Amino acid sequence: TQLLEQSPQFLSIQEGENLTVYCNSSSVFSSLQWYRQEPGEGPVLLVTVVTGGEVKKLKRLTFQFGDARKDSSLHITAAQPGDTGLYLCAGVKGNKLVFGAGTILRVKS
Amino acid sequence: NAGVTQTPKFRVLKTGQSMTLLCAQDMNHEYMYWYRQDPGMGLRLIHYSVGEGTTAKGEVPDGYNVSRLKKQNFLLGLESAAPSQTSVYFCASKNYGTSGGPNNEQFFGPGTRLTVL
């Protein structure tokens, strides 16, 4: 059972375009994390959002946590080829993570 | 620091064979995890450990066993491999901390790609 639904599953865009990835759940999480994974490597943490309504910015990436702490979004401004990868959201439940299925992002130059 | 390392990187097994995957971390982390990653399904938790000598089942534990005899090592065993266990396996570790705090980041190894024929 996938507790976290990510959309879209796959995104192919041109360099310079903006995009948003969504992560939705019917469950409430104490916090939510976003990871990025490159081929042949393990996921690496980008950000943790903790408070409902919280917005965090990491250069061209903006992360938002829903008011009810059930959903989150990742917005990338002016995407670059270096942003290509698999983006995973993960809900924190105690000391465990529940992962979404991921969004494969391909940015073409 | 090497972080989290996994051995081996690749392995091919025949149905019914057994093997052990080794995970080692040099960050003195309390928690360690084993996940499997399959296309379109994200990462699913197999087993985890909250400290030396302790283990617990995750979301998909059937067909796997684990041991944490030393704090820095977490072993994942397949007693009788099946084609359904073909996957990429990731180990992760985490420091002790509250769920929303800065110590809740999981650090992942590079993965082991396992094929069961």
Side-chain angles (χ1 to χ4, degrees), chain A residues 55-105:
Chain A
V55 176
K56 278 191 175 179
K57 290 193 174 184
L58 195 67
K59 295 183 180 178
R60 293 177 293 101
L61 279 61
T62 301
F63 303 86
Q64 194 161 9
F65 200 14
D67 291 340
R69 305 208 320 276
K70 293 181 179 181
D71 53 85
S72 181
S73 64
L74 158 61
H75 182 79
I76 300 179
T77 303
Q80 299 176 1
D83 296 326
T84 293
L86 174 66
Y87 290 81
L88 295 157
C89 66
V92 178
K93 281 195 174 287
N95 288 299
K96 294 185 288 185
L97 296 177
V98 176
F99 281 89
T103 296
I104 298 172
L105 172 64

